[in-house]
Amino acid sequence: MNKSELKPAVVFEQFAKINEIPRPSKREEKMIEYLKDFGKSHGLETVVDEVGNVIIRKGATPGYEDCKTIILQSHMDMVCDCLPELTIDFDKEGITTYIDGEWMRAKGTTLGADDGIGMAMELAILDSNDIEHGPIECVFTRDEETGLTGAFGMKAGFMTGDFLINLDSEDEGEIFVSCAGGRSTTATLDIQRQNAPDGYFFIKGSVKGLIGGHSGDDINKKRANGLKIIARFVYQEMERYDDVHLVRLHGGSLHNAIPRGGYFVLAVPNAIKENIRADWNVFSAEVDEEFHVTDTQMVWRMRSYDPEPVIDDETARRFVYALQAVDNGVYSICQDEALGGMTETSSNLARVETLADKIEILTSQRSNVMSNLDNMCNTVAAAFKLAGFKVEHSDGYPAWKMRSNSELQKIVRYTYHKLFQKEPVVRGIHAGLECGLFAERYPNLDMVSFGPTLRDVHTPDERLLIPTVQMVWDHLLLTLKSMPHQS
């Protein structure tokens, strides 16, 4: 397959244009201008609110004027990540894609299909003159990935539709009807540094090549967290040898990404440096075996390092003990049978930085039950407070509760079955969706979420299963034709 054979062509043409435009989270100005120009060039009502969300309204086609208004919604920003050896300026450069069998990938970077492919479907509908539909509002929110800024800042009345389809899901054939709420936690600790004693050797150990993934949708897949692995080894060595000193422990990036690697720098007496190397070899082999199913491409390295001041011993130990203790991964499973054993509550150790005078740690907690989200945040905070850290939580975002009498859910299930002669899977998702915030401002809004199949989003391995785009497109168009009439 080559790019000229991609179907539906109208969607992939729009996706290619989107990927030419830089759109990192919080820096979506170029995309906002593109959407404004797009709407105006098509003669469509286009509004940008005070936080940068864009809405483009398109009237009904003949025969559908009295249908209820439907909102199609996606977010305009993308997680920008690349392979370590690649140099790219995401503020100036676009994404280069290629075809790999039935998958579309990017060359060394995230693909941007989360949520560029949802945007592309909306723009293809707005650009069309042969698609039957009632009144449509196409909404493009900003900064979904790092703060849900657009959804938080959207005021009631910006959207006016009766139904909303969120196009930010990653498994074709699955209709999402609820999502987790979430909150980030930042822990900081001031540190003092001092010179290591004479006769010490500095050594750096690193691991990379982990699968990583989305800290919500992939947290239950038992993938390795690069920071937890590094912390385990440093904790082990500090317990084994009294005279090991910590210089650095670093890794991770975004709150919603499982760390794909990390590194440490230790100062150790010359007499035990070979012991540290031997321990590292044993440890790496054990962890390789531990994650032999999920993370098969781990790369382990250890080398000498230039001397630097070390963190005072008491602080370093409290820091490493906290990293060993802090909860990471799945905490509890949903009890509601309708949600099919989905992860209810989890935590992700997302980023650690050891700076010259302080340590900064970022974690991310999620839950479909807001009281247990509070509990998970308190659990994480307690580990760091015991170690002397100052802890702050973000405001977070609410869960989206399943609606038992959803008219839209019935419609999308019917249209899916009509097209494919099988029932879709209807379930919740542990990742956060903007629907939770929409539900607060628009309590009567009937919502679902669906989209084509994506894998390894938020990583350079992100890929889009091409045949599922046509399936979702067909499902979306039949759903638009099936909107109920105004009562």
Side-chain angles (χ1 to χ4, degrees):
M1 180 185 297
N2 57 54
K3 290 185 179 180
S4 65
E5 298 173 319
L6 292 171
K7 295 184 183 300
V10 291
V11 174
F12 280 102
E13 286 168 5
Q14 296 294 341
F15 186 52
K17 294 175 182 178
I18 288 167
N19 269 344
E20 293 175 358
I21 304 167
R23 50 195 174 95
S25 299
K26 299 188 186 299
R27 303 191 299 280
E28 306 94 339
E29 288 76 15
K30 292 178 182 178
M31 180 56 70
I32 292 170
E33 288 303 312
Y34 177 81
L35 292 170
K36 286 169 59 178
D37 293 342
F38 181 98
K40 292 176 181 177
S41 68
H42 287 73
L44 301 173
E45 179 187 357
T46 303
V47 179
V48 182
D49 71 6
E50 59 189 34
V51 294
N53 299 312
V54 180
I55 188 167
I56 304 176
R57 294 185 172 94
K58 185 178 182 183
T61 56
Y64 292 84
E65 292 88 350
D66 66 341
C67 287
K68 292 184 177 182
T69 300
I70 188 165
I71 303 161
L72 305 180
Q73 184 265 323
S74 55
H75 64 83
M76 65 180 81
D77 62 317
M78 65 173 285
V79 170
C80 295
D81 193 14
C82 64
L83 296 174
E85 62 270 20
L86 188 66
T87 300
I88 181 171
D89 186 344
F90 284 106
D91 288 312
K92 297 179 180 179
E93 301 177 53
I95 302 300
T96 303
T97 64
Y98 68 97
I99 308 301
D100 180 12
E102 290 190 320
W103 296 90
M104 176 174 280
R105 299 175 180 264
K107 293 184 177 179
T109 70
T110 40
L111 176 62
D114 173 18
D115 188 21
I117 198 64
M119 293 181 66
M121 290 186 183
E122 292 188 66
L123 293 177
I125 290 169
L126 293 172
D127 190 48
S128 73
N129 55 21
D130 60 352
I131 294 174
E132 298 173 301
H133 57 77
I136 291 177
E137 296 181 343
C138 286
V139 175
F140 308 88
T141 51
R142 72 176 307 178
D143 189 28
E144 186 268 352
E145 297 288 5
T146 64
L148 295 168
T149 302
F152 266 114
M154 184 187 294
K155 294 181 178 178
F158 183 67
M159 304 186 296
T160 65
D162 303 279
F163 303 104
L164 183 145
I165 297 177
N166 168 278
L167 295 167
D168 189 24
S169 295
E170 300 166 8
D171 292 280
E172 189 284 320
E174 298 189 354
I175 311 298
F176 294 94
V177 296
S178 75
C179 74
R183 196 175 301 146
S184 296
T185 298
T186 302
T188 57
L189 180 66
D190 293 333
I191 59 175
Q192 300 292 324
R193 289 184 178 272
Q194 58 197 33
N195 292 327
D198 293 336
Y200 268 63
F201 183 81
F202 286 74
I203 194 164
K204 177 180 179 179
S206 65
V207 62
K208 65 178 183 177
L210 283 65
I211 294 296
H214 191 286
S215 64
D217 204 34
D218 296 322
I219 200 73
N220 64 336
K221 296 176 181 176
K222 300 182 181 179
R223 295 176 180 176
N225 179 311
L227 279 170
K228 289 293 283 187
I229 287 175
I230 290 299
R232 281 171 58 177
F233 181 77
V234 176
Y235 174 86
Q236 168 189 294
E237 299 306 281
M238 282 185 166
E239 289 293 282
R240 191 167 290 175
Y241 308 104
D242 291 334
D243 42 7
V244 168
H245 300 291
L246 179 65
V247 179
R248 297 181 184 277
L249 195 156
H250 186 94
S253 55
L254 302 173
H255 77 97
N256 52 6
I258 300 170
R260 303 175 73 241
Y263 73 87
F264 62 84
V265 177
L266 297 177
V268 303
N270 282 322
I272 67 167
K273 66 181 182 181
E274 295 306 320
N275 296 21
I276 302 293
R277 291 185 187 277
D279 292 346
W280 180 248
N281 291 336
V282 172
F283 178 80
S284 61
E286 291 175 344
V287 174
D288 276 340
E289 176 60 25
E290 186 176 330
F291 294 98
H292 72 280
V293 174
T294 58
D295 293 84
T296 60
Q297 302 296 321
M298 291 189 194
V299 178
W300 302 83
R301 289 197 173 94
M302 181 166 274
R303 64 176 179 83
S304 61
Y305 196 79
D306 293 334
E308 286 186 5
V310 302
I311 302 172
D312 74 272
D313 191 54
E314 180 185 352
T315 302
R317 287 182 180 274
R318 285 192 279 118
F319 165 45
V320 173
Y321 290 176
L323 291 183
Q324 177 69 34
V326 71
D327 212 287
N328 183 81
V330 176
Y331 181 78
S332 61
I333 302 297
C334 286
Q335 299 180 52
D336 192 333
E337 291 183 5
L339 294 178
M342 184 182 73
T343 301
E344 179 206 90
T345 306
S346 72
S347 182
N348 176 52
L349 178 61
R351 185 176 70 236
V352 174
E353 293 182 287
T354 44
L355 306 175
D357 58 353
K358 66 179 177 178
I359 297 166
E360 295 182 350
I361 301 173
L362 177 67
T363 69
S364 176
Q365 295 74 238
R366 302 174 187 266
S367 183
N368 289 58
V369 178
M370 296 308 288
S371 61
N372 216 5
L373 177 61
D374 292 340
N375 176 51
M376 188 76 261
C377 290
N378 291 340
T379 299
V380 169
F384 293 126
K385 286 181 177 180
L386 284 169
F389 281 78
K390 177 183 177 182
V391 177
E392 295 181 351
H393 300 297
S394 70
D395 292 335
Y397 54 90
W400 167 32
K401 294 294 184 181
M402 183 170 57
R403 189 182 184 120
S404 60
N405 60 344
S406 167
E407 185 177 8
L408 182 57
Q409 184 186 135
K410 294 175 184 176
I411 294 169
V412 297
R413 292 180 70 169
Y414 166 78
T415 53
Y416 190 89
H417 186 272
K418 185 175 181 179
L419 280 171
F420 305 117
Q421 288 76 54
K422 61 180 180 179
E423 290 291 332
V425 176
V426 178
R427 71 177 186 90
I429 189 171
H430 190 58
L433 293 173
E434 292 157 297
C435 297
L437 286 164
F438 298 151
E440 283 193 331
R441 291 162 180 77
Y442 303 86
N444 296 319
L445 188 59
D446 196 351
M447 298 180 284
V448 299
S449 177
F450 59 78
T453 298
L454 297 171
R455 291 292 177 266
D456 295 322
V457 299
H458 300 178
T459 79
D461 294 322
E462 180 186 353
R463 58 197 185 276
L464 167 67
L465 187 57
I466 295 167
T468 65
V469 179
Q470 182 71 62
M471 297 175 73
V472 171
W473 178 246
D474 293 342
H475 185 207
L476 180 59
L477 297 194
L478 183 56
T479 299
L480 292 180
K481 292 176 62 176
S482 303
M483 285 295 101
H485 298 283
Q486 298 284 353
S487 55

